[in-house]
């Protein structure tokens, strides 16, 4: 049984009564500011009512409920907010008796029906009533039209009140803007009100003395981040630019959605990233890019070996670079601005887009990347001080961001000869194990080479030999370098020549463990994004491999089947 | 066609029945069927927009049905053709207000989305949200247009104008437009001041069509309707009347006539050296001298050509009433003296 404290009930009853006295502007503004609290109270009330076995019991237990709900129904602010409206209606539904057993219940039913009637129609004898009655269209249509027109009028007023120039002769009528924005808090997710919401948002950004209510802006960012609101790109970028809390929320929310639903998100990672509008905003504003990176760097540092996080960073950076190059040269900052603290010798090779390098030159390009990285690593090994260590971490993070080059190296390893493999394996190892301390990089390099040899033998043998299959499974589940090995393995699965049936057999026998499958999905999604970018039509072979791999990975585990 | 008209008649009768006690015999299925019929009626009405033959057939059947029902039920209020567009809404309202309606009416309302009725297009959420969002926004904005209209009034005026325009273009029938205005006037008997504001907004609403037929129709209607124009001018502030005068010559002349009538009902009270109304102000035949003065002053500040026309008119009226230059004999002289024209 939900227990309400006497003070809580008193508080909200007093509020409801004072709001009900008159629907003046100040009443509505007060309601607007208390909406969050009201919603949680209504939620509790709803839960309490749902546990009642009859209306009579409900009225006895919650004596205030009739007056309370009744008064709230006359408050347009409460009704206009979709969440509190829904809670209110559901509470009323709880109090309605399908088969009333006594006078109290019959009366309650009539009262509820009257309330509902009031909610959908205008007061008789009023001009509004006459207009709706004779409009020749449904009341819904009439109210939508009227709402659109009011929104249009008010949007114009907001736009006219400030044009953003510092010496604007038009005085900013601050009082009105503040009132309007507070009143609009419940309407943030109402699609008819979208132009007004956008105009108020813009106003808060371009007008130096803007008085747009803070809670309004907060409500807008919460609605955007939790995907209850669709906004124009320009508005979102402005929001990110001027509201650090919103930007952080959006970055973390993207990460959360990535981590919480791998099966869905990994299939379309670049779509999710682009929908967040973070790449677009980052291309336009350097500080946004730096902030998002900072957040993701910290996450990466806390969660060791997080494949999903790395895939996200890689795809995000890829999308960002795409947007950046699409901007007009005069509108964009040089790349150095986005990657401070990194030497140009590193930025050069890593930030080159894969599409700008012909396939035949990939090996050379990767060699260049390797040499630049190695220089940083070697100076750390020599100096051993904190600054040098930081330099290695920064370089490694850049490699994570430009992970499409690592994927390229992995692809080349599928067909490479021994003499070319060394640089490629080095890159792969560095990517998965950046430092010697705690990661034993030198040991990993050896393991990587051995794994590569094993995988090559596995995929070149026709048919795949059982002992190779077993060895592969062991390697994938061992603690050492399992991500690196999985990475290599998947690239072989996608790019190696030979009939699909052989590859299918290998996959079926090797990728069994649920944890392995999950990590594999992420690696695959990064590969997919890279291939989409190169704008070269995928060979049928590669297409079918990717498709088949996905299907295998998404199918339920043998162990979990009943 | 006959089936359609038959169904229409049944629905109108249904709307009456839904207000009576006998609905307690309805079960859930009967109620659903009633809504389906009402929905059908709405669809027929929508089709009648592009089909004049259908429309006139509907009108005549509706007229007959209304007449018959009024004979049986003296308190019956006739259903207009335009109301057919909201049959389901009317039915719902009637049932909600009727204590005898089946208790499953609540499910039609779909309070809890999970138990919503399939097949019926009765989602009330948009109406509820739209209505309160409208109220919320109108209360929150203090700004008025250049002519002094509140947002809500302006919006309703625009909608009225649009509706009139569509009636006139579709049916080319000024009579329907007039009937509409009559009905609105009748139904808003409670709050006519708001109505006049809405009418003013409708007159001022800008328009693409150069003929501005709807504006003329409204002005005609105002003049035909006894005292309407005068009431409108009384309840609207001077600034608004000036805005209207600027927009329309017809209004300008009508307004002037109204002012003239008001002025003619003033007589000079020698004891108090002032012009006083000959009849009670509440009879709406006249206003005080000061009000008259304010209104003329406002007109003189309204820029050309209103200013010049007003000056000319005042001069004419002064001459007509004897061309006196001393106070206390002709109201026009006194006005002109005070206005310093």
């Amino acid at each position: 049984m939900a227990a309400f404290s006497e003070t809580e009930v008193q508080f909200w009853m007093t509020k409801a009564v004072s709001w009900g006295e008159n629907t003046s502007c100040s009443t509505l503004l007060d309601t607007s500011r208390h909406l969050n609290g009201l919603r949680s109270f209504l939620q509790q009330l709803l839960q309490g009512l749902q546990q009642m076995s009859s209306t009579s019991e409900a009225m006895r237990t919650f004596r205030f409920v009739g007056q309370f709900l009744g008064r709230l129904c006359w408050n347009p602010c409460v009704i206009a907010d979709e969440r509190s409206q829904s809670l209110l209606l559901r509470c009323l539904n709880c109090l309605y008796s399908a088969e009333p057993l006594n006078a109290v219940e019959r009366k309650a039913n009539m009262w509820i029906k009257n309330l509902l009637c009031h909610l959908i129609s205008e007061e008789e004898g009023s001009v509004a009533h006459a207009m709706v009655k004779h409009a020749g269209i449904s009341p819904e249509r009439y109210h939508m039209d009227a709402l659109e027109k009011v929104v249009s009028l008010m949007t114009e007023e907001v736009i006219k009140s400030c044009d953003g120039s510092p010496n604007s002769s038009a005085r900013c009528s601050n009082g009105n803007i503040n009132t309007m924005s507070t009143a609009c808090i419940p309407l943030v997710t109402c699609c008819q009100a979208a132009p007004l919401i956008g105009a108020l948002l813009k106003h808060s950004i371009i007008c130096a003395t803007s008085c747009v209510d803070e809670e309004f802006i907060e409500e807008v960012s919460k609605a955007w981040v939790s995907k209850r609101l669709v906004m124009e790109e320009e508005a979102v970028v402005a929001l990110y630019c001027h509201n650090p809390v919103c930007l952080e929320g959006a970055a973390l929310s993207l990460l959360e959605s990535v981590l919480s639903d791998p099966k869905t998100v990994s299939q379309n990672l670049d779509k999710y990233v682009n929908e967040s509008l973070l790449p677009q905003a980052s291309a336009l504003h350097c500080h946004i890019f730096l902030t998002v990176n900072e957040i993701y760097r910290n996450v990466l540092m806390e969660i060791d070996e997080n494949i999903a996080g790395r895939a996200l960073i890689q795809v995000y950076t890829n999308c960002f670079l795409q947007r950046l190059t699409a901007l007009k040269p005069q509108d964009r900052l040089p790349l150095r601005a986005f990657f401070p603290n990194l030497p140009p010798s590193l930025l050069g090779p890593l930030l080159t887009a894969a599409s700008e390098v012909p396939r035949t030159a990939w090996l050379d390009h990767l060699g260049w990347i390797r040499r630049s990285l190695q220089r940083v690593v070697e100076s750390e090994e020599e100096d051993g001080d904190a600054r040098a260590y930081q330099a290695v971490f920064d370089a490694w993070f850049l490699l994570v961001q430009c992970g499409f080059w690592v994927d390229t190296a992995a692809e080349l390893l599928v067909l490479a000869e021994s003499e070319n493999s060394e640089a490629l394996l080095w890159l792969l190892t560095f990517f998965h194990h950046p430092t010697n301390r705690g990661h034993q990089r030198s040991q990993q390099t050896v393991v990587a080479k051995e794994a590569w040899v094993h995988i090559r033998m596995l995929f070149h043998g026709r048919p795949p030999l059982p002992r190779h299959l077993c060895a592969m499974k062991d390697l994938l589940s061992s603690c050492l370098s399992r991500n690196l090995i999985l990475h290599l393995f998947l690239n072989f699965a996608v790019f190696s020549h030979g009939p699909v049936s052989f590859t299918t057999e290998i996959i079926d026998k090797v990728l069994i463990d649920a944890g392995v499958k999950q990590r594999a999905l992420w690696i695959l999604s990064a590969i997919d994004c890279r291939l989409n970018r190169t704008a070269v039509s995928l060979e049928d072979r590669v297409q079918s491999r990717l498709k088949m791999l996905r299907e295998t990975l998404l199918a339920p585990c043998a162990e979990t089947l009943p | 066609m006959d089936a359609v008209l038959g169904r229409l008649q049944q629905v109108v009768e249904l709307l009456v029945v839904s207000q009576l006690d006998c609905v307690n015999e309805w079960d859930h299925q009967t109620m659903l069927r009633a809504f389906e019929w009402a929905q059908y009626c709405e669809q027929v009405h929508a089709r009648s927009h592009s089909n004049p033959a259908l429309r006139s057939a509907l009108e005549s059947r509706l007229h007959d049905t209304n007449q018959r029902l009024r004979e049986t039920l003296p308190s019956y209020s006739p259903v207009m053709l335009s109301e057919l567009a909201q049959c389901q809404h009317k039915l719902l309202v009637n049932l909600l207000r009727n204590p005898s309606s089946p208790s499953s009416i609540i499910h039609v309302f779909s309070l809890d989305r999970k138990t919503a009725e399939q097949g019926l297009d009765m989602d009330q959420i948009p109406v509820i949200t739209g209505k309160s969002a409208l109220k919320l926004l109108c209360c929150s904005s203090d700004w008025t247009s250049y002519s002094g209209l509140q947002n809500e009034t302006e919006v309703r005026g625009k909608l009225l104008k649009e509706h009139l325009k569509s009636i006139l273009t579709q049916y080319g029938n000024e009579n329907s437009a007039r009937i509409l205005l009559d009905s609105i006037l009748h139904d808003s008997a409670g709050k006519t001041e708001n109505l006049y504001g809405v009418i003013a907004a409708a007159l001022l609403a800008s328009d693409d069509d150069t003929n501005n037929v709807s504006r003329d129709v409204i002005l005609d209607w105002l003049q035909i309707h006894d005292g309407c124009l005068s009431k409108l001018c009384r309840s609207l502030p001077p600034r608004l009347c000036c805005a209207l005068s600027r927009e329309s010559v017809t209004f300008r002349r009508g307004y002037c006539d109204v002012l003239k009538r008001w002025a003619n009902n003033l007589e000079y009270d020698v004891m108090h050296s002032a012009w006083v109304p000959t009849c009670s102000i509440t009879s709406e035949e006249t206003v005080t001298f000061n009000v008259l003065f304010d209104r003329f002053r406002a007109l003189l500040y309204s820029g050309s050509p209103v200013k010049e026309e007003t000056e000319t008119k005042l001069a004419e009226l002064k001459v007509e009433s004897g061309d006196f230059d001393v106070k206390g004999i002709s109201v026009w002289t006194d006005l002109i003296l005070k206005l310093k024209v």
Side-chain angles (χ1 to χ4, degrees), chain A residues 279-533:
Chain A
Q280 294 85 331
S282 306
L284 293 168
H285 300 279
C286 192
H287 70 92
I288 293 184
F289 181 72
L290 295 173
T291 308
V292 175
N293 268 335
E294 192 57 39
I295 296 175
Y296 288 154
R297 265 164 81 112
N298 290 335
V299 168
L300 214 59
M301 286 203 288
E302 280 172 38
I303 314 175
D304 206 24
E305 284 224 40
N306 190 328
I307 289 281
R310 283 200 238 176
L312 173 61
I313 293 172
Q314 180 174 331
V315 171
Y316 162 69
T317 311
N318 213 337
C319 293
F320 152 74
L321 287 170
Q322 261 208 320
R323 300 284 168 172
L324 192 64
T325 41
L327 289 177
K328 292 201 271 278
Q330 60 262 34
D331 290 336
R332 66 176 120 109
L333 289 170
L335 278 170
R336 281 192 322 277
F338 294 92
F339 299 93
N341 311 328
L342 284 164
S345 56
L346 266 182
L347 293 181
L350 278 165
L351 289 175
T352 317
S355 52
E356 286 176 38
V357 180
R359 202 193 170 93
T360 44
W362 282 1
L363 198 52
D364 286 332
H365 193 94
L366 286 164
W368 181 20
I369 294 179
R370 181 268 176 95
R371 283 192 300 279
S372 317
L373 285 170
Q374 197 155 30
R375 264 200 297 276
V376 179
V377 167
E378 274 161 13
S379 59
E380 192 259 336
E381 279 163 2
E382 280 168 22
D383 299 342
D385 67 0
R387 198 157 53 88
Y389 179 70
Q390 184 67 37
V392 172
F393 181 80
D394 289 342
W396 174 75
F397 190 73
L398 182 62
L399 187 62
V400 171
Q401 287 174 301
C402 305
F404 49 87
W405 280 118
V406 180
D407 285 340
T408 314
E411 183 188 333
L412 285 181
L413 273 169
V414 173
L415 299 169
E417 296 304 321
S418 281
E419 57 269 18
N420 294 330
S421 69
E422 202 260 323
L424 302 170
L425 283 168
W426 189 96
L427 270 175
L428 211 58
T429 316
F430 178 68
F431 178 72
H432 286 285
H433 308 284
T435 65
N436 254 336
R437 298 181 226 176
H439 287 268
Q440 317 305 111
R441 187 159 40 78
S442 27
Q443 185 185 355
Q444 307 294 16
T445 325
V446 169
V447 171
K449 175 106 192 205
E450 278 178 17
W452 176 61
V453 167
H454 268 109
I455 301 178
R456 248 198 340 171
M457 280 198 298
L458 177 63
F459 276 88
H460 288 163
R462 308 237 186 288
L465 298 170
R467 59 186 164 90
H468 286 156
L469 287 169
C470 269
M472 197 69 255
K473 265 207 305 214
D474 286 339
L475 275 174
L476 282 174
S477 37
S478 77
C479 285
L480 291 172
S481 311
R482 54 188 189 163
N483 281 338
L484 187 156
I485 297 174
L486 184 59
H487 197 173
L488 257 181
F489 177 80
L490 285 171
N491 272 279
F492 269 87
V494 174
F495 294 107
S496 64
H497 293 275
V500 179
S501 54
F502 285 134
T503 319
T504 319
E505 199 189 326
I506 297 175
I507 305 294
D508 279 341
K509 297 222 167 90
V510 171
L511 290 182
I512 302 175
D513 180 61
V516 170
K517 281 184 167 189
Q518 184 130 303
R519 283 180 286 130
L521 273 174
W522 289 116
I523 297 177
L524 211 56
S525 87
I527 296 177
D528 201 6
C529 287
R530 176 175 77 97
L531 291 174
N532 284 338
R533 289 282 170 273

Side-chain angles (χ1 to χ4, degrees), chain B residues 44 57 71 94 103 132 192 207-208 234 290-291 310 317 328 335:
Chain B
V44 168
E71 281 161 21
N94 286 351
S103 61
S132 7
T192 35
D207 208 21
D208 310 321
R234 259 177 93 92
N290 284 331
V291 168
T310 314
L317 288 163
L335 272 171

Side-chain angles (χ1 to χ4, degrees), chain B residues 289-309:
Chain B
F289 181 81
N290 284 331
V291 168
L292 206 54
F293 167 75
D294 280 337
R295 292 203 170 244
F296 273 108
R297 187 174 54 171
L299 281 172
L300 291 172
Y301 277 103
S302 299
S304 325
V306 177
K307 174 172 188 277
E308 284 80 18
E309 269 190 40

Side-chain angles (χ1 to χ4, degrees), chain B residues 59-283:
Chain B
E59 266 174 345
S60 95
R61 183 62 74 100
L62 194 58
H63 176 81
D64 294 340
T65 315
N66 277 335
Q67 202 154 26
R68 217 171 18 87
L69 285 169
R70 191 188 266 125
E71 281 161 21
T72 10
L73 299 158
S75 61
Y76 174 72
S77 49
V79 173
M80 286 182 63
L81 186 64
S82 61
E83 289 181 85
L84 292 180
Q86 29 175 299
C87 264
Q88 290 186 85
H89 178 82
K90 284 172 78 75
L91 183 59
L92 181 59
V93 168
N94 286 351
L95 287 173
L96 283 173
R97 288 205 178 122
N98 190 339
S100 315
S101 60
S103 61
S104 59
I105 181 73
I106 210 84
H107 295 313
V108 172
F109 202 97
S110 37
L111 278 179
D112 188 345
R113 272 348 201 339
K114 292 184 210 118
T115 59
E117 284 297 336
Q118 304 300 328
L120 271 189
D121 182 22
M122 287 296 288
D123 188 7
Q124 297 298 311
I125 306 294
V127 178
I128 299 177
T129 313
K131 196 179 140 223
S132 7
L134 184 62
K135 194 143 185 200
L136 178 61
L137 286 178
C138 289
C139 280
S140 73
S141 170
D142 259 345
W143 281 329
T144 55
S145 66
Y146 79 100
S147 43
L149 285 168
Q150 294 276 326
N151 280 337
E152 185 176 348
T153 318
E154 202 174 328
V155 161
R156 294 206 193 266
K158 282 188 177 169
L159 287 171
L160 174 61
K161 176 165 189 153
E162 270 175 22
H163 190 45
L164 284 170
K165 191 169 159 188
S166 82
I167 291 181
L168 291 169
T169 39
Q170 273 170 7
Y171 312 131
N173 186 351
E174 293 189 8
N175 202 35
S176 306
R178 270 185 234 121
I179 292 180
L180 172 70
L181 288 166
D182 282 341
S183 319
I184 296 183
L185 178 65
H186 177 262
D187 285 341
S188 39
K191 314 245 173 73
T192 35
E193 318 81 59
N194 291 354
L195 174 61
Y196 293 134
V198 171
I199 291 181
L203 288 169
L204 285 172
S206 60
D207 208 21
D208 310 321
D209 97 68
T210 45
N211 293 344
N212 222 329
V213 187
S214 34
R215 181 185 288 172
D216 294 334
V217 167
I218 299 177
L219 287 168
D220 270 341
W221 175 82
L222 281 171
Q223 301 203 301
I224 291 174
H225 251 276
D226 191 34
C228 241
L229 183 59
S230 165
K231 288 185 196 144
L232 180 127
C233 293
R234 259 177 93 92
S235 63
L236 297 179
R239 198 164 105 207
L240 194 43
C241 292
C242 292
L244 286 165
S245 305
R246 275 199 297 275
E247 291 293 315
S248 153
V249 177
T250 322
F251 183 85
R252 204 182 303 156
R253 299 218 180 101
Y255 186 37
C256 245
D257 285 341
V258 168
L259 290 172
K260 217 167 87 174
R261 259 208 315 277
W262 289 346
N264 286 336
N265 283 328
L266 289 174
E267 64 179 6
Y268 195 65
D269 180 351
V270 182
M271 301 293 282
H272 298 99
S273 305
W275 286 91
V276 294
T278 52
C279 41
S280 163
I281 292 186
T282 50
S283 73

